Amino acid sequence: MNTRLLAILLAFAGAAATTRAQETIKIGEFASMTGEHAGFGQQSHKGTQLAIDEINAAGGVLGRKLELIMEDDQSQAGQAATVVQKLIAQNKVVALLGEVASSKSLEGAPIAQRNKIPMISPASTNAKVTETGDYIFRVCFIDPFQGTVMAKFALSRGWKKIALLTDVKQDYSVGLADSFVKYFTAHGGTIVRDQKYSSGDKEFRAQLTSIKGANPDAVFVPGYYGEVPLIGKQAKLLGLKVPMLGGDGWVDDSLLKVAGDALDGSFISAHFSMEDKNPVVQDFVRKFRARFQGDPNDMAALGYDSAMILAAAIKRAGTTDGAKLRDAIAATKNHPGVTGSITIDAQRNASKPAVIMAIAKGAMKFQETVAP
């Protein structure tokens, strides 16, 4: 081989290597950035973006930067499927992060599964999400665990008579109610009233009047932060003074701003607490505050964890090939997440602790940690 030809080949190889290094690894994210559940999506996205920026500042993954491509599903039924299809077909993403709301993840998951694109939900707790297929994962606990945690908590307080107020339009709410009832009634508890409402409702006095008449020890409201403050305020006006219990769907900055002190005495299951002294948690809180001039909530922490677990899996896989990346995500063990040590189990769910938060004087306070 002559010297000139060798020089040309070396130059070509160098240029090709430079081009590969300049190519980004495209990660898709779908979330409710506007609409009814925008509080969830905006916080989750902030956490995700913080993680992506941190990874890129450290040199990226496999010598390449991560490119986060965000799509807003507008909190609307049907939109999650549309944007997931776009991210896969047009943007050519290698993996997906999203959604927070279980109903939206259940729309997007079949499309990801069909196209063999790994998907990690930060916060969809409905058990059906990962049952979609072997490319679908989550970094949060699931409703059977969350519902059991709250049922155990109620029983530990001596609350044997519980009323339900469930959002029939949300898979999350229905699934969480089912898991709560299953454990609670199997261990000596009684559901004294079972009332329903639908997302977007503003008036709950008829249901609450019926509940008050049943004389419960507490009311389980596995809903979202949009309706829960109104439920709390109307319950207070009706003189329904028993504690309310909820899940992570209550977690949003707007909850207590709207409710004031109407939810004082209530308890919820959640994913993390800023009061946790774990250095991983405190480092995350410090970075989030510096970047966004505000406090993170559970959704931000879960968004951060989902991106970090994905990046670690890409690094372990040594490739963005769908099947190999899927296997690497499935092999996640004891990841030191902001929301706890995360291990992905055989059903692609996260085995991890929950925390219980108490509401007192219009603020959330750490109550206790519950191991899986």
Side-chain angles (χ1 to χ4, degrees):
M1 182 182 294
N2 64 47
T3 304
R4 184 180 179 187
L5 179 57
L6 179 60
I8 291 172
L9 290 173
L10 289 172
F12 180 80
T18 300
T19 299
R20 283 195 300 272
Q22 290 174 344
E23 289 177 353
T24 60
I25 296 174
K26 294 181 179 180
I27 308 298
E29 181 190 10
F30 66 111
S32 301
M33 298 297 287
T34 57
E36 182 182 3
H37 301 141
F40 284 157
Q42 290 170 11
Q43 277 277 331
S44 179
H45 173 63
K46 286 177 180 178
T48 300
Q49 188 67 63
L50 184 64
I52 296 292
D53 291 348
E54 188 176 322
I55 292 161
N56 285 338
V61 183
L62 307 182
R64 297 158 64 186
K65 296 295 179 71
L66 301 182
E67 179 184 353
L68 185 66
I69 303 173
M70 154 58 68
E71 288 289 342
D72 176 16
D73 60 39
Q74 304 167 36
S75 306
Q76 294 182 9
Q79 277 298 106
T82 299
V83 299
V84 166
Q85 186 64 44
K86 175 184 178 296
L87 286 166
I88 293 172
Q90 296 182 32
N91 298 116
K92 308 296 183 183
V93 301
V94 302
L96 290 160
L97 299 173
E99 229 258 20
V100 169
S102 294
S103 58
K104 305 301 186 298
S105 285
L106 286 166
E107 288 181 17
I111 300 168
Q113 180 68 28
R114 189 163 58 246
N115 286 277
K116 298 184 177 180
I117 299 294
M119 169 181 147
I120 304 176
S121 168
S124 291
T125 53
N126 186 284
K128 294 178 182 177
V129 171
T130 50
E131 293 172 5
T132 302
D134 60 346
Y135 280 79
I136 313 302
F137 302 85
R138 75 181 103 216
V139 298
C140 56
F141 48 63
I142 61 175
D143 286 336
F145 173 60
Q146 184 176 199
T148 298
V149 164
M150 293 311 295
K152 285 182 176 179
F153 180 76
L155 291 167
S156 74
R157 291 283 174 126
W159 299 333
K160 295 293 187 69
K161 298 186 300 177
I162 298 289
L164 295 180
L165 185 52
T166 309
D167 184 346
V168 293
K169 281 193 175 181
Q170 297 296 337
D171 295 311
Y172 161 80
S173 186
V174 174
L176 186 50
D178 287 346
S179 61
F180 178 94
V181 170
K182 183 177 180 180
Y183 187 91
F184 187 73
T185 56
H187 291 80
T190 302
I191 303 301
V192 295
R193 199 68 96 231
D194 187 357
Q195 290 289 321
K196 317 289 186 184
Y197 70 94
S198 296
S199 299
D201 286 354
K202 305 294 183 185
E203 178 57 57
F204 308 94
R205 278 177 286 193
Q207 297 98 315
L208 292 168
T209 298
S210 175
I211 286 171
K212 183 181 179 182
N215 194 31
D217 297 321
V219 185
F220 187 52
V221 189
Y224 285 142
Y225 63 86
E227 292 78 26
V228 170
L230 302 180
I231 291 169
K233 291 173 82 170
Q234 290 175 28
K236 185 177 180 180
L237 287 172
L238 289 170
L240 180 59
K241 298 178 180 180
V242 299
M244 289 196 173
L245 309 175
D248 61 329
W250 288 30
V251 177
D252 186 74
D253 293 344
S254 67
L255 179 87
L256 298 179
K257 290 178 182 177
V258 176
D261 64 359
L263 293 171
D264 279 10
S266 298
F267 299 88
I268 66 167
S269 53
H271 300 271
F272 103 124
S273 168
M274 290 195 301
E275 298 174 47
D276 190 333
K277 300 305 180 184
N278 185 325
V280 174
V281 174
Q282 291 307 310
D283 184 53
F284 168 72
V285 172
R286 177 187 57 77
K287 290 183 293 189
F288 190 95
R289 285 171 169 168
R291 173 71 182 276
F292 299 110
Q293 290 75 56
D295 289 338
N297 66 18
D298 299 46
M299 303 306 144
L302 288 165
Y304 183 90
D305 282 349
S306 68
M308 284 298 189
I309 283 178
L310 175 60
I314 294 172
K315 184 177 180 180
R316 289 197 306 274
T319 177
T320 57
D321 172 76
K324 291 179 180 178
L325 181 52
R326 173 202 60 194
D327 292 345
I329 297 169
T332 300
K333 303 293 181 188
N334 302 317
H335 174 85
V338 175
T339 59
S341 179
I342 300 170
T343 292
I344 301 299
D345 67 19
Q347 288 73 46
R348 297 168 301 284
N349 301 318
S351 176
K352 61 190 296 189
V355 299
I356 292 179
M357 304 291 286
I359 301 178
K361 297 181 179 178
M364 293 274 190
K365 299 293 182 183
F366 174 77
Q367 182 76 18
E368 60 187 77
T369 298
V370 182

